[in-house]
Every structure is written in structure tokens, then in C-alpha cells.
Amino acid sequence: MYAAVDLGSNSFRLHIGKHDGEAIRVLKSVREPIRLAAGLDKDGNLTPAAKQAALNCLKNFRTVLAAYKLDAVRVVATSAMRVARNSAAFLPEAEQAIGYPIEIISGEEEGRLIYMGVANAVGLPGERRLVIDIGGGSTELILGRGQEIEKVESFSVGTVKQSLSFFIGGLVDGASFEAAILSARSHFEDAAPPYHPQFWKQCYGSSGTARTIADIIIKNGLGREVNAESLELLKQRFIEFGHVSKIDMAGLKADRASTIIGGLAILIGLVRELDIPVVQPIEAGLRMGVMWDLHLRSTKRDRREQSVLTCVQRFHVDERRAHRVANDALALYGQTKPSADLYTRHLYWSALLHEMGMVVSHTGYHKHAAYMIENADLPGFTAREQRTMSCLILGHKGNLRKVVEVLGEPDFAKAIVALRLAVLFMHSRIDIDFTQIKLRYKSRIELEIRREWVAEHPTLSYWLEKEQEQWDEVGVDFSIRTS
């Protein structure tokens, strides 16, 4: 049983589902209209009121989650948390409220998860499709075929900002609508060509915005499908009401009227700019994609593995050296007896990628690799995971002062020393027999190796001496014994 929590810019949502044959069946769904994007002040910070509303909701979600026996939970935050200047400071408080780590995902990762949810709901392995998701703070366009994504982009235009910027004070008129539509089109026009209908067969609208608009159109007799004509009729009906507070239509909840007008402007902009004939709403998207991702991880089909292997190939990493270092680092890490399994996989992936920076320059390659890992679009990875890997790679070589802040976390420090020694032994051309080496790390590092290695590999004593000096600089005693 899996739980997906989506901290969106407009609403916070929770799904609890169970894999059932070829599908994931939703057992529980909760939605609270937090309007987080509307809670950003002029400096781009979440206001105290917005943060308090978010915390109250997260505490409620924690109660809901506690009622189920869950195999995995993933909490993701999207556009509003991405852009809020004080999100990093707010995150620990939010995580404490819900009781789980919160991942602020990139727009591209958001698009990947959305597409995964749609693709698994639709099936049709050979279908070429465009998926559009209009959220509170951003809009994602994803082009794919079957389960495979061909192109994904995130645009910083969402329902909340569009509503607040163009329908000021809740007033709805023709001029405001056209301005909002033109503004939306300006975000998409440069990127539009690859998303035109000749590249796909079916267009799906995966967001609550698309589903709500479709519901209003059908229930009010404005059409049988979402197309340019029915969207124009809906726009005219909204203009006739004249003000958000007066909008009263079947299929539209009162609390959604203030943002759905911005969403309608964006959808009309997309339909016009991309020449979309029909948008088919679908009850699948980010939360369903998160649950499918959790299921795939549990069945050893982790998208992150493919991302790492793609990087290895793209940046011409020496695979023999990379796999050797990765395997040796895991073996050494195991000897240090970490308290949890938190860094094992990230250590392995970091070891595989530790030399990718050589594609830029052999000088300071670890710094180049660290920068690339932290800033790359790595499908399946969160920004936090990429920072973890970046820090491991940065710390595998040279002085340790640059990572001294994270060495206070014992398991992370153990991962660092394991990776550094694995690289050191590889450079010294030592084929390690792990029955003949012992590594311990409590308050100090203790390494025991065979005496013959020092004689057989002349540079080993030099590198080990340098390693002792580096750890000594950050206040960690490193003793070496030979036997």
C-alpha cells in the first residue's frame, strides 16, 4: 500500500492506493485548498498565514496516513515551494508536521511523474500522446509514446498567478481574458513546435484544472468535449457573470472559481498556440505517478538506476573503473557499520559518476562532477538526493574542509571515507581482498591493511599519509595499521 502527498501551489492532496493486478486502486483521497502560491509576499516569501495553513493541513494528513499500514510514502512539493525564497527554512517545520521527508521536485521531475500516472492509466503502449498539466504555479507539457517520455518541459505559468494578475479584484471581462490568454501564449510560443498535433495522436489534460473545465462544459451544455469552441463558450459565460463571486455553474465548486478563470485562460492559450483539436481529461496525474514510482522502486525497477547509467554513457565515464570503485566503496562502507541504509544507494551511484567531470577537465574534475550532478535534470532523483550525491563526489578527493559541515552526520562521514579509500586503492592499483582489510569508524578512523601492499605499491604510503593529513585538518584522527 502506497501514499502520495502532493503539496501543490493551489491545493494539497493526498492519495492512498494499493497495487491491484495491473492497476493501482485509490483507497483514500483528501484535498485541501491551501492556495500556497497566493501566500507569497512581494519579496517571494511564504507569509506566516500561508505557512500556518500549510502546517495545519500537514498535521491533518499525518493523522490520515497513520490510519493505514503503508509500505511507502512519498511527499512532493511543486512550484510554490520551488520559488518561495524561504522554503528551505520552512521545510524542517513542514516535515515535522507530516512526519515524512518532503521533496521539492523540479518541474521536469513533476512532468515525468505526471506522465507516468497518465501512461499507466491509459495503457496503449504504442500511442503517441501529449499530456498537459495546468497547476497552481506551473504548467507542464510532456510528449511521449507509451511509457517512454520523449520531451518534458515546465513553464512558470499557473492558475493562481494568472488569476491574480489579470482578474484584479475578481473582475472578469473580455479585455482581461484576452490579456491573460496572450500572456499564457507568450510562455509557450517559443517551445511550441515539437508539441504540435503532427507529433502525437491524443492530448490528455491531467490536472484538476482540465478535469474541472471539462466537467463545467459538459454539465452546462456547452459542448461534449473540450475544444476551442466549447472553451470559448465557457469564457463568454464567465464574462457574463462579470465577477468571480457571481460565478455559479454546475460542476464548479465555489472555492475553485477564483483560480479556474486563470486556468481557463492558460488552457485556451495552449489550444490556440499548439492548435490542439481536443483535450481529453483524465483522472490520473502526479499523485498516481508518485505511487507508480514507489511501486516500481519496490520491484527493483528504479528510474534512478537508468538515469545514472545514462550519465555514465553520455559523459564517457570509464565503466570498468567506475564499477570497481562503486563495489569497493560499498564493501568498505559495510565494514564501518552505518546505523541505517540511508546512503547506500547514493554512495553507489556517486561512485559510478565520480569521474564524469573529466569530460570538462581533468583538473578539478571532482568539482565539475559535483556541479553537474547537483544541477542536472536526472529523472527519478529529487533535488535533495542530487545534493547528497554532489556532496559525496565533491568530498571524494582533496581537502575535506569543503564538506566539513556534513561530516557531523556519522553515516555520511562513513560514506565519504569509504568512497575516498575506494578511489585511493583504485589509483594505487590494488586489487582489494576484503578479508585482508579492516575499516572502522566511530569517533576515529581505524584502517588495517596488509604490510605487503606498502612494499608492492610504492605510492600507497604516500596517498595514505596525505589522507591522514586531510582528516586531521577537520579534527578526525585516522590511524593505520599493517599486519
Side-chain angles (χ1 to χ4, degrees):
M1 196 178 300
Y2 309 110
V5 181
D6 166 18
L7 309 184
S9 302
N10 193 36
S11 301
F12 283 11
R13 295 172 178 267
L14 177 153
H15 269 10
I16 293 173
K18 185 175 183 180
H19 187 256
D20 186 7
E22 295 300 313
I24 290 180
R25 183 163 49 91
V26 177
L27 305 176
K28 177 75 174 179
S29 185
V30 182
R31 171 184 176 268
E32 290 197 25
I34 300 301
R35 307 279 191 267
L36 201 64
L40 292 169
D41 64 21
K42 59 182 178 61
D43 297 318
N45 290 306
L46 292 169
T47 63
K51 290 190 289 184
Q52 190 57 55
L55 292 174
N56 292 341
C57 175
L58 294 175
K59 289 173 184 175
N60 292 338
F61 280 7
R62 182 172 188 163
T63 303
V64 174
L65 293 170
Y68 293 83
K69 188 176 181 180
L70 300 167
D71 296 295
V73 177
R74 189 175 179 191
V75 186
V76 297
T78 57
S79 179
M81 287 287 277
R82 282 198 295 268
V83 302
R85 295 180 63 183
N86 59 343
S87 60
F90 176 58
L91 207 57
E93 198 175 356
E95 289 178 330
Q96 186 177 11
I98 196 168
Y100 291 95
I102 297 173
E103 306 167 5
I104 301 177
I105 57 176
S106 68
E108 290 72 24
E109 174 67 359
E110 184 178 353
R112 185 189 74 84
L113 292 168
I114 289 165
Y115 187 87
M116 184 181 289
V118 172
N120 281 286
V122 172
L124 303 175
E127 181 184 71
R128 295 187 65 84
R129 61 178 71 100
L130 172 66
V131 177
I132 61 178
D133 190 278
I134 302 169
S138 65
T139 296
E140 281 67 46
L141 299 182
I142 314 104
L143 186 69
R145 180 172 184 168
Q147 293 284 344
E148 296 302 314
I149 294 174
E150 296 177 359
K151 189 173 182 62
V152 55
E153 290 186 78
S154 180
F155 302 86
S156 57
V157 56
T159 63
V160 175
K161 186 176 180 180
Q162 213 69 356
S163 297
L164 293 174
S165 299
F166 293 94
F167 304 97
I168 299 168
L171 293 174
V172 184
D173 57 34
S176 298
F177 244 117
E178 284 308 311
I181 292 167
L182 282 173
S183 167
R185 291 186 69 169
S186 72
H187 284 82
F188 307 119
E189 61 180 351
D190 191 47
Y195 300 106
H196 280 288
Q198 65 262 38
F199 300 110
W200 45 267
K201 181 179 179 181
Q202 182 67 56
C203 175
Y204 295 96
S206 63
S207 61
T209 298
R211 293 192 296 271
T212 298
I213 289 172
D215 209 27
I216 300 169
I217 287 171
I218 292 168
K219 288 183 177 179
N220 292 274
L222 302 177
R224 295 183 178 181
E225 58 188 16
V226 179
N227 55 29
E229 183 181 356
S230 62
L231 289 170
E232 182 65 26
L233 288 172
L234 180 56
K235 183 190 84 171
Q236 291 302 323
R237 287 291 298 274
F238 281 169
I239 291 171
E240 289 170 11
F241 282 107
H243 197 278
V244 169
S245 63
K246 296 179 180 179
I247 296 176
D248 183 14
M249 299 183 75
L252 178 61
K253 295 179 180 177
D255 69 331
R256 297 213 66 179
S258 62
T259 55
I260 206 68
I261 52 173
L264 177 60
I266 295 169
L267 187 54
I268 292 173
L270 277 168
V271 167
R272 291 181 184 178
E273 190 64 37
L274 304 183
D275 197 24
I276 300 172
V278 176
V279 178
Q280 181 177 324
I282 184 167
E283 192 69 39
L286 179 59
R287 291 169 302 287
M288 191 60 73
V290 168
M291 289 194 290
W292 272 109
D293 199 46
L294 290 172
H295 173 68
L296 291 174
R297 290 185 184 186
S298 72
T299 55
K300 310 301 182 187
R301 290 177 286 169
D302 194 332
R303 182 66 180 87
R304 295 172 296 179
E305 296 279 358
Q306 185 56 50
S307 293
V308 171
L309 294 178
T310 298
C311 277
V312 167
Q313 294 164 6
R314 180 180 297 165
F315 297 107
H316 310 293
V317 172
D318 186 318
E319 294 190 38
R320 182 187 60 81
R321 287 162 62 95
H323 282 283
R324 173 187 164 155
V325 170
N327 291 327
D328 287 355
L330 283 194
L332 289 163
Y333 187 54
Q335 287 194 4
T336 66
K337 294 182 170 53
S339 61
D341 195 32
L342 187 60
Y343 298 115
T344 304
R345 303 187 78 181
H346 298 92
L347 171 61
Y348 186 80
W349 292 325
S350 300
L352 287 177
L353 298 174
H354 80 279
E355 288 188 332
M356 68 183 284
M358 287 187 177
V359 74
V360 178
S361 171
H362 281 239
T363 303
Y365 73 87
H366 59 304
K367 297 176 184 177
H368 300 309
Y371 177 85
M372 292 161 73
I373 289 296
E374 183 168 0
N375 294 282
D377 175 21
L378 297 180
F381 284 98
T382 66
R384 182 180 299 184
E385 287 178 314
Q386 289 181 222
R387 284 194 297 273
T388 295
M389 292 165 60
S390 173
C391 195
L392 282 167
I393 290 171
L394 184 64
H396 92 265
K397 181 178 184 289
N399 75 73
L400 287 156
R401 294 188 301 276
K402 55 187 178 288
V403 293
V404 68
E405 290 183 2
V406 296
L407 294 179
E409 210 283 274
D411 283 357
F412 198 90
K414 291 174 181 179
I416 289 274
V417 73
L419 181 55
R420 288 175 71 91
L421 289 176
V423 172
L424 185 154
F425 289 134
M426 185 265 290
H427 286 166
S428 297
R429 297 184 176 85
I430 298 176
D431 292 322
I432 302 176
D433 179 349
F434 284 98
T435 64
Q436 299 175 337
I437 185 172
K438 293 179 182 177
L439 176 64
R440 291 176 288 273
Y441 189 167
K442 290 184 180 178
S443 58
R444 62 198 301 265
I445 301 169
E446 298 176 9
L447 176 67
E448 185 176 331
I449 58 174
R450 289 187 61 187
R451 186 174 293 111
E452 300 90 86
W453 289 359
V454 178
E456 293 169 1
H457 304 277
T459 62
L460 179 60
S461 58
Y462 169 79
W463 287 119
L464 286 175
E465 198 172 305
K466 294 288 287 183
E467 191 67 12
Q468 285 179 304
E469 292 173 2
Q470 302 288 4
W471 285 98
D472 185 60
E473 282 187 5
V474 293
V476 178
D477 185 39
F478 189 154
S479 66
I480 301 169
R481 291 196 311 164
T482 58
S483 61

